[in-house]
Amino acid sequence: MSYCIYRTKSISQTNKTEQIMAKLFLVSVLGLLIAAYGVAGNVVYDKFNILEELEDMDIAEEDTDFLESPSWTSEHGGKVLVNVDSFGAVGDGVSDDTQAFRKAWDTACSTRKSVLLVPPGRRYLVNATKFKGPCAERLIVQIDGTIVAPDEPKNWDPDLPRLWLDFSKLQGVAFRGKGVIDGSGSKWWAASCKKNKSNPCRGAPTALTIDSSSSIKVKGLTIQNSQQMNFVISKSEAVRVFGVKVTCPGDSPNTDGIHITKSTNIVLQDCKIGTGDDCISIVNGSSTIKMKRIYCGPGHGVSIGSLGEDNSVGIVTNVVLDTALLRETTNGVRIKTWQGGSGYVRGVRFENVRMEDVANPIIIDQFYCDSPTTCQNQTSAVQVSQIVYRNISGTTKSKQAIKFACSNTVPCSNLVLSNVNLEKKDGTVETYCNSAQGFGYGLVHPSADCLSSQDKGFILIDRKDNAQLTEPTGDHIIHTEL
């Protein structure tokens, strides 16, 4: 299996990338629209193709030598090895190794070109800990052993109720190895209100968090049995995740695999995820998210959202999922928003996705309600537009293989389906549309005829002389808290 990296970009470069991606999306949709409408006057527009126009959004394959075996194994490597065992860690899975890990971190973080080593063949019991930066340059965290959490919720540190291993304010740090981060989550799951309605609904720790950091690489680790979310990337930029495995039982509540929030320029590649919730979830304040060669199952699919809960603003832009296999998940590729929210989801591409016995393979749900009580009808909504589904095939458990349940007051717009083929083993399939505007191009099964053919978000004008793409006038939602 090959892995790739991205060279670090500055914030200004990242913003420029986002602008380019947005423009490419508009051009590609124009191409599909022109192709669908056929001949414009005497000019035949047959050169526009969504693949060609979106090539620059693809994930480039680059060298990953920096993620290979640490050079400190070499006599001339120039690395400083900081072994947790040297600070008193026992590694028997019973003794509390928290202080040893904290001391080792303090040393490694303050030492240039250091390698913090968690050796193989041992189990290190570590309590909730914040590992804070900034650190000296070129720090490597090499995890080859197993880090295990205490299994009793009653004994959890009350000052860190939502965190286990939290890394923050880092720049240019690489996390790698063949080790395991094990959240020992079974008792947490049993205490969840989703397992037993008589239990109180409350949060639980996230196994691994990367927070307020930039230029981070994560490769090869296994994260399993998290108390709640497995791996969270929060308020960070330029994070590259390769070959990470996430695993939890399919009935473990709220155990999202990789959760991205308020982050930009994120790459997830060659990851295998099986959980009791979303394999990947992308929420407010996130942009330029690229996912490639993703395996998902069990789980709730690959989701944008939920967004807009409690009348909040939700903004997600420029997301690509390219090449994925979803097997026996409760959803496929999903966008979910609460009624009453505001903001927008735009510039999203799902392509080259194989579904195997997936319920709701393609779904937009603007009436999402993950609540023990009934959600009230509200008129405001997160706007969903510029969504492309391309080369999506396989089998569905649901009769409604494609479902666009959009807001009556804020309809979904610019939905484009191209080369979609979904079948049900024991029956026919259909597409459901409510307030959804867009069109199908090429093979689309089940048919997308229920989509409004006149897409209000984009208007072709002056077709005889010059086809142009314009957006309707109106106030754009501006989010000032990113």
Side-chain angles (χ1 to χ4, degrees):
M1 182 178 293
S2 62
Y3 298 90
C4 71
I5 67 168
Y6 276 75
R7 294 184 176 91
T8 304
K9 297 180 181 179
S10 66
I11 294 177
S12 61
Q13 289 175 314
T14 299
N15 292 337
K16 189 177 295 183
T17 300
E18 292 179 14
Q19 294 172 3
I20 293 172
M21 291 174 71
K23 291 178 181 178
L24 285 169
F25 187 127
L26 296 179
V27 174
S28 66
V29 172
L30 169 61
L32 286 175
L33 283 166
I34 294 173
Y37 281 100
V39 179
N42 295 322
V43 180
V44 180
Y45 296 90
D46 59 355
K47 300 299 183 183
F48 290 88
N49 184 283
I50 188 170
L51 270 180
E52 296 172 357
E53 302 298 345
L54 296 180
E55 281 298 319
D56 287 345
M57 292 174 67
D58 289 339
I59 299 172
E61 302 285 344
E62 297 186 28
D63 178 51
T64 56
D65 287 344
F66 78 98
L67 282 172
E68 299 307 321
S69 298
S71 58
W72 51 263
T73 58
S74 168
E75 184 177 341
H76 304 288
K79 300 290 186 182
V80 178
L81 179 61
V82 180
N83 190 328
V84 295
D85 289 355
S86 301
F87 293 82
V90 178
D92 60 3
V94 178
S95 303
D96 187 347
D97 291 325
T98 306
Q99 290 304 318
F101 269 66
R102 289 174 180 171
K103 291 177 182 178
W105 172 262
D106 289 342
T107 298
C109 181
S110 61
T111 304
R112 186 171 174 269
K113 294 185 179 180
S114 63
V115 177
L116 176 63
L117 176 64
V118 180
R122 300 190 183 186
R123 291 174 59 85
Y124 295 90
L125 178 65
V126 178
N127 282 279
T129 302
K130 287 187 173 183
F131 300 95
K132 295 182 179 180
C135 294
E137 65 178 16
R138 301 184 69 177
L139 171 63
I140 295 172
V141 179
Q142 182 79 24
I143 302 174
D144 289 322
T146 296
I147 305 173
V148 62
D151 64 357
E152 182 51 67
K154 295 178 182 178
N155 297 333
W156 200 262
D157 185 346
D159 293 331
L160 299 173
R162 302 302 302 271
L163 302 174
W164 178 30
L165 306 176
D166 180 88
F167 294 85
S168 64
K169 299 180 180 179
L170 303 179
Q171 182 175 11
V173 176
F175 296 80
R176 64 191 188 189
K178 299 180 180 179
V180 176
I181 295 172
D182 189 333
S184 304
S186 58
K187 290 184 180 179
W188 295 89
W189 309 331
S192 169
C193 62
K194 290 192 174 182
K195 278 286 195 177
N196 186 337
K197 292 184 179 180
S198 65
N199 291 330
C201 292
R202 56 191 179 198
T206 292
L208 175 64
T209 301
I210 304 293
D211 179 59
S212 303
S213 299
S214 62
S215 303
I216 304 299
K217 288 88 176 179
V218 183
K219 180 187 174 185
L221 300 178
T222 295
I223 306 165
Q224 64 188 32
N225 301 325
S226 179
Q227 305 91 334
Q228 204 162 86
M229 291 186 178
N230 283 271
F231 181 12
V232 169
I233 301 169
S234 173
K235 292 180 284 187
S236 295
E237 179 186 12
V239 179
R240 308 293 186 250
V241 179
F242 306 98
V244 165
K245 181 179 180 181
V246 179
T247 178
C248 283
D251 62 350
S252 56
N254 298 114
T255 52
D256 292 46
I258 301 176
H259 180 78
I260 301 170
T261 176
K262 297 180 181 178
S263 296
T264 186
N265 195 9
I266 310 297
V267 172
L268 311 178
Q269 185 168 306
D270 296 305
C271 295
K272 184 176 182 180
I273 305 169
T275 72
D277 209 300
D278 294 323
C279 290
I280 299 170
S281 52
I282 303 166
V283 297
N284 182 41
S286 298
S287 65
T288 316
I289 312 297
K290 301 179 182 180
M291 301 164 281
K292 191 175 183 74
R293 293 194 295 272
I294 302 296
Y295 177 93
C296 172
H300 295 182
V302 175
S303 295
I304 295 175
S306 64
L307 300 170
E309 184 178 5
D310 296 327
N311 304 110
S312 62
V313 175
I315 295 178
V316 173
T317 60
N318 298 333
V319 176
V320 175
L321 172 65
D322 179 1
T323 310
L325 172 61
L326 288 82
R327 178 172 289 151
E328 298 181 349
T329 54
T330 58
N331 299 283
V333 289
R334 174 169 62 158
I335 299 173
K336 52 180 177 176
T337 69
W338 296 71
Q339 294 184 76
S342 59
Y344 50 83
V345 176
R346 65 172 62 139
V348 178
R349 182 183 66 176
F350 300 111
E351 73 169 356
N352 302 320
V353 179
R354 177 70 183 174
M355 310 278 186
E356 294 185 2
D357 292 329
V358 170
N360 307 309
I362 294 175
I363 179 170
I364 296 176
D365 182 6
Q366 288 191 286
F367 300 92
Y368 181 75
C369 178
D370 184 17
S371 171
T373 59
T374 302
C375 294
Q376 298 297 315
N377 289 329
Q378 301 185 58
T379 56
S380 62
V382 177
Q383 183 185 54
V384 179
S385 64
Q386 302 174 15
I387 316 297
V388 171
Y389 303 90
R390 184 186 176 280
N391 292 347
I392 298 179
S393 63
T395 55
T396 173
K397 291 182 178 179
S398 307
K399 182 178 181 180
Q400 292 179 348
I402 303 173
K403 183 176 181 179
F404 298 130
C406 301
S407 166
N408 293 323
T409 54
V410 188
C412 302
S413 62
N414 311 321
L415 308 181
V416 180
L417 297 96
S418 174
N419 193 22
V420 174
N421 188 13
L422 297 166
E423 300 282 357
K424 193 171 186 288
K425 291 180 178 178
D426 56 354
T428 59
V429 291
E430 64 184 26
T431 299
Y432 170 83
C433 301
N434 182 76
S435 298
Q437 302 166 356
F439 65 93
Y441 174 65
L443 172 67
V444 178
H445 177 76
S447 170
D449 289 345
C450 64
L451 289 171
S452 169
S453 60
Q454 179 58 51
D455 195 321
K456 297 178 182 178
F458 293 95
I459 306 167
L460 283 172
I461 61 173
D462 194 18
R463 297 184 68 219
K464 290 184 179 181
D465 300 318
N466 185 26
Q468 300 180 21
L469 192 66
T470 64
E471 292 191 71
T473 60
D475 294 334
H476 293 282
I477 299 170
I478 299 175
H479 184 45
T480 60
E481 300 177 0
L482 296 184

